[in-house]
Amino acid sequence: MESETRRPYRMGARAAAVEVTRTRVMRAAAALWMRRWYDDVTLQHIADEAGVSVQTIVNHFGGKDGLADAVADLVASQTAVTRQAPTGDVAAIVAVLFEDYEQHGDANVLWTAQIDRVPAAARAAAHARVQHREWLERVFADRLPPPGPAREHALNLHYAATDLYLWKLWRRDLGLSREDAERAMRDLLTSIDPRKSHDA
């Protein structure tokens, strides 16, 4: 009887340990890929960073490609949590977006630069584009037109105004301060509000 009682506990503890290991490996891989090209990071590098064996990584993820997909899923889930903002509050929307970009923007630019030769990067970028569009539809729900060409046009404008590469242009290429870059994005989003008339 005692052994039957303890078995679910042991199974639960084992599952928890597996999840801890998986998370440690994913975080180690993410930390390395934030700084280095995908091809320059080996499974041994990741294993050393995580304090596990290469075989452990293979057992959990099947290899480097599977690990990259898992890391992309983890990042996507974290992004969904950190980008919470009140609908229609442009200042809050820009603030949470910049908080994300300031922490992960350079890594995302590095990752995106590899989409033509790293399938996992291409898959992650495709998912990120869908996720960003869905986010725009939520936070700008008050201003977007009903489904149709006008809505698609408005979404395209809002996508461009909040894109990672616009952040990179302002913060990295032009050297704007965060305060000035946030103000520029707020002004741009205000100017493309489809509720305003842009007729000449």
Side-chain angles (χ1 to χ4, degrees), residues 33 38 61 63-73 111 118 120-121 123-124:
W33 282 324
Y38 179 85
F61 302 98
K64 190 174 173 182
D65 208 39
L67 174 57
D69 285 337
V71 169
D73 289 342
W111 194 245
V118 179
R123 290 191 294 272

Side-chain angles (χ1 to χ4, degrees), residues 143-200:
R143 65 163 65 180
L144 292 173
R151 184 182 183 87
E152 291 304 308
H153 178 67
L155 275 170
N156 288 337
L157 293 178
H158 284 73
Y159 201 116
T162 57
D163 188 63
L164 170 68
Y165 279 91
L166 187 56
W167 169 84
K168 177 182 178 294
L169 172 68
W170 283 334
R171 293 286 283 130
R172 299 297 182 250
D173 301 341
L174 299 181
L176 269 63
S177 68
R178 176 171 174 174
E179 180 182 3
D180 287 344
E182 286 196 34
R183 183 179 67 179
M185 185 175 286
R186 289 195 302 271
D187 289 348
L188 186 52
L189 286 168
T190 299
S191 72
I192 63 172
D193 188 338
R195 294 171 297 188
K196 298 181 177 180
S197 174
H198 299 287
D199 295 335

Side-chain angles (χ1 to χ4, degrees), residues 51-161:
V52 301
S53 68
V54 169
Q55 188 58 51
T56 295
I57 298 176
V58 173
N59 291 344
H60 281 281
F61 302 98
K64 190 174 173 182
D65 208 39
L67 174 57
D69 285 337
V71 169
D73 289 342
L74 176 65
V75 171
S77 65
Q78 292 173 339
T79 298
V81 172
T82 58
R83 283 197 188 181
Q84 298 297 320
T87 299
D89 187 338
V90 172
I93 292 166
V94 171
V96 298
L97 185 63
F98 261 76
E99 190 62 29
D100 181 19
Y101 285 165
E102 292 291 323
Q103 291 187 42
H104 306 114
D106 293 316
N108 289 338
V109 169
L110 177 64
W111 194 245
T112 305
Q114 304 174 75
I115 60 175
D116 289 337
R117 60 187 180 80
V118 179
R123 290 191 294 272
H127 183 269
R129 285 191 292 270
V130 171
Q131 186 178 30
H132 188 68
R133 178 188 170 93
E134 291 173 347
W135 178 76
L136 291 171
E137 291 188 288
R138 284 196 305 275
V139 297
F140 292 114
D142 62 317
R143 65 163 65 180
L144 292 173
R151 184 182 183 87
E152 291 304 308
H153 178 67
L155 275 170
N156 288 337
L157 293 178
H158 284 73
Y159 201 116

